[in-house]
Every structure is written in C-alpha cells, then in structure tokens.
Amino acid sequence: MLNSASELEFSNENNTEDISQFASLALSGDEASSEKSSTGAPEKTGYPDSVYVMAANVFQGIRIEKSPEKVLIKYGNEPLRSLSESKDESFQRLSYELAFSALKYQDILETILIDSFIFPSTTIPDHLSSLIIVMLYDFQDRKFQARFLSDNEESIAEVQEVENLLISFKTKLAAALARCRIKHDALSIYHILPETVRNQELRASTLPLYAWINTCKISPEEVYHSLKKKGYHKVQSVLHINDKVFAVDQHCYDVLIFPSHLKSDLLNTDLFKDYKLIFQDKSRSLAVHSVKALLNMDDDILMVNTDIEILHETFINIESKDHRLQKVKVILLLPRCSGLGVSNPVEFILSEHEDAGLLKDFSQGGTSEDKLHILAQQQYEQLTHAMKFTKAQAVVYCTCSVYPEENEAVVKKALEFQGHGIKVQPYRLSPPVLPLCSLKEIHLSTDKFFRVEPSEITNGCFLSVLTRERDPSETVSVKDVLARAAAKGLLEGIELGKSSKREKKKKRSKISFPKASTTDSNGIQIKIAEFLNRETNANANQSETLTKRSLPQKNTTQVGSSSQVRKPNKPATNPLVPTFMKNTSSSRPYERPTNFIRPRPEDKMVVLKPVEIVLPPVMLPFSSPQGIRSQMPTQHFYCRWVGPKTVVPGYLSTPSIPRRGEKPKENLPSSLLRRPRPWL
C-alpha cells in the first residue's frame, strides 16, 4: 500500500488516466452501473451551484456523528447561504439524492480526503466540510472530469473555491480511491456497502413508478386518452418492458403504474405539470380507499400525518372534544415510522414530507432498537389519542414499516388498553375493504391486517382498520331512517304514512280471496262440473241455431237470443273481443263474470302446461277498453289458459284462484273440443 507523498505524484499522463478509470468503478449508488450501460444514459455533467449548497446543508443535518477519538474531519454548525432558495420539486430531489449518496459513502469519502492529503494539509473552514464531501462524491461519479457550466448559470463563491481545490488534487484523489477499493478486495466500492443497502438500491433502480389520478381535475378515462395520444399504451404488467407503457393497479382503480425509466419523460408532460397525475407511494392510496369505504354523506375526515416531532406534539395536545371536530367520523393516522419498507427513501421523504433524518437509518440498512422503541411509543400515543374522539367511528392506521413493533404490536396494545370507562362503544379490529389479488395477500390478511411485503413491483406497507362496535340500544328502525331522510328533504313527494303496495296487496288478498274450508272443497268441485255441462249444452244449441240463419240475422238473433238463453242471475262481464272484429260473422265473443278480480302478481309466475284447444279467432285473452263495454254483445264465455275455471253465482260467493304450482285441469268435456265450427 502506498503511504509516502512522493508515491502519489505521477508525471505520466497515461498512468493518470488508467488510475482515473480504475477508480471510477461503481461508486455511484443511486444510478447503478448496469442500468447505465443498458439504457445508454449520457455521462453526468454536474449540478448547478445552488444544488451543491442545498445538498451540503441537508448532509450537515443528517451526517453520522462519531466519537471524539474517531473524528477525522470537523464539520461546522452553520449552514451555507444560497443566493436563491429554489422550491422547485426537481431541484429538491436532486439535492436530497446527492446528500443521501454522500451519506452512504461518508466513511469512504472521509478516508479518501485524508489519504489524498487534502486534510489537514490545506486550510479549509469547518463550515465548508459538508460541501467538500458532496462535491467529492459527484466529482468521482463524473470520473474526475470537469463540470459543464452554462453561461447564464449563477455561480456561488464557496462552490467555485471547493471545485478548484478538488481539481488541483485530481490525481491524488483518484489514487486514494483505487487504494480504498483494493483494501476491501472489492470489484467496486459499491460492494463495500451493507448488503441490505445494496439490495435496497437494486430494487430502487427497477421499482415501477406509482402515480395517483387527481379525480378532482380529471377522470381516469381522460388520462388514458391523453397518455395514448403521447404514445403510451395500456398493458397488464410493466415489468421488464422498456417501451412507453402503463398499467392500472389491481387494488386501486385510480392508480397507474409506469416503468421506472420513464420518470423524466412523465415529469415533462402536462398531466404532471398540472398536478392531474401525482407520483405517490401506493400505501397512501390503499389508506385512502380504506377510508372511503367507511364514509357516509356529510362525514368529515381528520388526516393526521405526524412526520416530524412538532406535529406529534400538536396532535397529542388536540382536545378530543374540540367543537371543530364534532363531525369527524373517520381518522386517517399516518404516523412517523422507520419507513424501511420503502426502496427509494428520497422519493418517500419528498412525497410524504417526512423528516430527512430518516435518511440516516436508510444509509445504515436498518433502525437501531432504541430509535425503534421511541417510534413505537409515539405511534401508540397517537393511536390511543385518536381513539378518544367520541364522535369518530373508525380509525385507519397506516405505516410504511416492515417491523411488527410499529405495526401489529401497536394496534393490539391500543385495543387492549383502550379506555373502557368512556361512555362510548369500544373499538374492534375490522378487515380493510380491499381486494386480495393473490394467495400470498390472503395469507397475510388472515388476522384482519393488510400487509404488503417489499418486492420488485411495490414497496412494503401495513394497514389496519379499527371500527366501533355497534351499540344494541341504538338500533335504528326503518321508520327512523325514513324520518331522517324526510327531515333532510330527500323524500320530497313521498308520504311516509301510506302503506306500501306490497302491504296493500296482502290486505286485499285477505279480503277478496278467503280460503275455502276443507269440508266444502268436494261440493265446490261437483258444482263446477255441473255448471260446465250446462254451459256446454247451451253453446251447442246456439251454434246449431246460427248455422240456419243468414248473415244479417245472425247478429240480430245472437243478441236477442242471448237475453233469452241466459239466466237473469248470470253476472255481466267485460268483453274480450277486439274492436275491429266485433261485427264479423265468425265472431262469437265470450264473456267473463263481473266479479272476476285481477289475479295476484304471484299467479303470473305459475308455469303453464300447454293445452291444444280449438277456439274461434275472437277468443283471445284481450282486455277491451272501458268505453266499448256497452257496445259488445252480452253473451260471452270466458276461458282461462291455466285451465277451466268458472264460478256458479249463488253457490260460491267468491271465485277460487289456482294456487301456485297447481297443475291445470285437463279433463274437459269432449263437447268443448268437438263442437261445430260454423265459421268455416
């Protein structure tokens, strides 16, 4: 290993280039080298000066502090001043990504600065140490090439000073980087990172992008149409596809999935510029859909996102009896968590406005037990406080953590120690109203929790729904619901005092169709048979008389004879003959009794058995209007399709209706089927 200062001097330019190429092997953490080679992405040209300043300030707040005996480089406490503090999201993302990358390699970068004699040979103020770290990471990521500067870019004096210093130590920095790689016997310094961090970065480089459709501004169909106009086409899955495609999420209809390499292209579209599509972690959409299933009309939602300590204290101090929260029925609790179910921590922190201090845990591949205990205690306090709101009927608890200490343990503890002394119904665990799309999801949701484990297609998350048990003393009847609806004006024109149609039909059926006693059933059947025989003989005599008379006489005789043949006690009925056939010679209208009552609705559903009966053309089951009743002949005979059924006035007070499922009688007198047909 080279130790002397003279061994770091290289006069040969070829050796300098070899070491530079040798040192540039995969120190980049966020942009994997495999992805660069496959997509053919251009080499980096550096960042604007303002990005370096903001990244240095972020790094200053999240850097890993060491014990005094292990301190190699001293950092100041004062942040750097920027000429213009940009609030653009892309600007912030670049700054956070640069700071997070420098944080992951903090030990290696500090070793390179010491080994290259930048420290302590040069006199550098302590407040510039953070700026040197982030700019050194970017310098080696650019393979120690000069940064491209635009003419209209505003320069910052501190950035120019540090950049000149690094360029002057270019050769020594490249040699120190190569020695560090050889020391750890690694193909690249990237492999020096903990395995959990490497796996996380590998997932982050291929994880699809999830975008929420802002349905307040645009409908999903309009989004599909706009994307198709820009060359995107819809597929079932976006995995391992390098084309411009998108898919709809299986759990949330208003969430779209895009391949990761389309991020820059999507950010330049109007859909994202106008906030019609918003990049968002899928767990947040799952929580919103769970809340939506619990809401009623005019219900309020209280969303609690305690991403930083001050919000935790604010929520805990909110009085549950605050008059502003009396209409709150559902509380959505998104507590601060370790977030280790997320593969891209920078995107998670920016989209969810989480504390940047979480980047320190991500850089180490896990959360310490002490910090995990603190987070779990805060989550328990927030959940129990949310359960104290007496007007609330449900609490949705959602985290992006994979630790049971922050998930199941917190919920079970809150349910176990909830205040039973309060005069409200206790909470119970309820399964979220979400579709389960695989056997694995079904297995993970057996205990009424919804879990998603980190994978190549999604981040991990945990979801739990707590609902109040129903109070048996507050059971609401149908009349109470209708009364409330009428009070709100939802039942205009509807009289609640009237009984329903079904109740009226039941009452009518009880009055009009009394059931015959079993002792009189045999007598009724005998009387019906006698009546059928008399009607058959009368019809036969009438048909013989009609054949002997002329056409004009037929109509006269038919009308006149009907008054003689018919008995005076026979009831008058409604005609069944259509108006255009009432004067034809072949018409022999049949009549039905006047006391015939429309059958009940259930009679229409009786399955009829087909019977072949020779009938005149006029004998169709038509209902004539009320106005032509007086114009029709009074001699009629009514035959129902369900079987022969007549009523003898004087013997039976009400007609009997065939019961459901009863087969029609087929034993008709032969004269009904073989009588003369004078119309032929």
Side-chain angles (χ1 to χ4, degrees), residues 165-180:
L165 175 65
L166 295 177
I167 292 176
S168 63
F169 280 82
K170 172 182 176 180
T171 304
K172 297 180 179 180
L173 290 172
L177 178 61
R179 289 194 296 270
C180 182

Side-chain angles (χ1 to χ4, degrees), residues 317-329:
N317 294 327
I318 293 179
E319 292 290 338
S320 59
K321 297 182 180 180
D322 194 323
H323 67 280
R324 298 170 299 177
L325 307 176
Q326 295 306 304
K327 293 182 65 177
V328 171
K329 298 300 180 182

Side-chain angles (χ1 to χ4, degrees), residues 431-443:
V433 185
L434 294 171
L436 302 178
C437 304
S438 64
L439 293 176
K440 186 175 182 180
E441 291 182 0
I442 295 175
H443 175 71

Side-chain angles (χ1 to χ4, degrees), residues 54 138 261 322 327 335 447 560 599 662:
M54 185 174 182
D138 179 62
H261 67 274
D322 194 323
K327 293 182 65 177
D447 50 358
E662 182 179 357

Side-chain angles (χ1 to χ4, degrees), residues 286-297:
L286 292 173
V288 171
H289 277 259
S290 299
V291 170
K292 186 178 179 180
L294 300 170
L295 289 178
N296 295 320
M297 187 179 298

